[in-house]
Amino acid sequence: GIQVEQSPPDLILQEGANSTLRCNFSDSVNNLQWFHQNPWGQLINLFYIPSGTKQNGRLSATTVATERYSLLYISSSQTTDSGVYFCAVGHNTDKLIFGTGTRLQVFP
Amino acid sequence: GAVVSQHPSRVICKSGTSVKIECRSLDFQATTMFWYRQFPKKSLMLMATSNEGSKATYEQGVEKDKFLINHASLTLSTLTVTSAHPEDSSFYICSATAGTGGKTEAFFGQGTRLTVV
């Protein structure tokens, strides 16, 4: 099956800093989503991005499907950005395989 | 986006008892829903695919007699943990997919934290 690796596993930032999270996947996909899991466990949809680039406020994402990776950019980070960020992928199925996650801590 | 509601959010049960978790798609119909399990500080692991009107499909290594799944309507799937043991304690999350025209986006419930004592 598809393997999904995320880096870095842990990230500690001061408020206001920018960061880039990476998601590598081992096979072709036609479904890729980024999620933020808050401290209560809720998964919040950030982007549906099987290819191309999207932006939503301080967040943006880019997927280069041919090279099997996706990037999530967080600019001007805030303490409320803390949590775990997951990418999840699928190929010709609604089933999603989750990546290993990046745990982000933003300090004031 | 679409809304998926999961209930209860937290449950504590005694060893040997069964616990039912509900997952509802509130504003759309879902012929397929998914159940995941998450251990502390780990990623989500897919347990099974819940199919409306037919049997669930379980991932390798998941005991179908332990984790009973029923998808009786287009908006409701249930996961029953039978004869629960402390090792079944975990965070369980459901999802449903919404969308048309080639875009199928998954939306997740709030999750259920199960503690077996």
Side-chain angles (χ1 to χ4, degrees):
Chain A
I2 298 175
Q3 305 296 312
V4 187
E5 293 287 332
Q6 291 182 240
S7 59
D10 295 280
L11 189 55
I12 300 174
L13 299 175
Q14 194 159 23
E15 227 174 7
N18 302 328
S19 60
T20 301
L21 283 59
R22 187 176 180 101
C23 171
N24 291 332
F25 40 96
S26 62
D27 208 341
S28 61
V29 301
N30 51 16
N31 186 351
L32 190 147
Q33 291 184 238
W34 281 97
F35 299 93
H36 174 212
Q37 188 170 38
N38 66 22
W40 297 271
Q42 174 76 58
L43 282 168
I44 299 164
N45 289 42
L46 298 178
F47 294 102
Y48 170 86
I49 187 165
S51 63
T53 298
K54 289 186 178 179
Q55 181 163 4
N56 184 2
R58 295 182 296 104
L59 303 182
S60 63
T62 296
T63 297
V64 183
T66 52
E67 297 189 20
R68 300 181 184 169
Y69 73 89
S70 183
L71 302 174
L72 177 69
Y73 305 96
I74 305 175
S75 64
S76 303
S77 57
Q78 301 175 358
T79 55
T80 51
D81 294 332
S82 296
V84 184
Y85 289 80
F86 289 107
C87 69
V89 305
H91 180 69
N92 291 337
T93 173
D94 289 346
K95 281 201 296 191
L96 287 179
I97 305 301
F98 274 74
T100 48
T102 292
R103 185 172 300 274
L104 174 64
Q105 297 179 71
V106 182
F107 290 96
Chain B
V3 179
V4 176
S5 177
Q6 192 172 334
H7 177 82
S9 58
R10 187 180 296 268
V11 59
I12 302 173
C13 71
K14 291 184 178 180
S15 283
T17 61
S18 295
V19 173
K20 181 183 286 188
I21 303 169
E22 293 187 347
C23 179
R24 294 180 184 273
S25 56
L26 297 187
D27 51 359
F28 65 103
Q29 294 182 332
T31 56
T32 306
M33 292 185 177
F34 301 92
W35 289 94
Y36 294 81
R37 183 174 183 177
Q38 185 179 29
F39 290 104
K41 299 191 186 299
K42 297 293 185 183
S43 186
L44 279 75
M45 290 178 50
L46 180 65
M47 298 174 65
T49 303
S50 174
N51 304 299
E52 188 267 334
S54 65
K55 291 182 179 179
T57 307
Y58 292 82
E59 296 298 306
Q60 191 173 6
V62 177
E63 298 177 63
K64 59 182 180 182
D65 295 330
K66 158 69 76 176
F67 300 102
L68 298 180
I69 291 172
N70 184 273
H71 195 150
S73 79
L74 287 171
T75 59
L76 174 64
S77 174
T78 60
L79 168 68
T80 301
V81 182
T82 63
S83 186
H85 291 286
E87 57 265 30
D88 299 324
S89 298
S90 192
F91 191 60
Y92 295 89
I93 315 175
C94 69
S95 76
T97 300
T100 57
K103 173 183 174 180
T104 53
E105 186 173 353
F107 294 88
F108 284 78
Q110 304 94 317
T112 297
R113 193 165 304 280
L114 170 63
T115 303
V116 185
V117 298

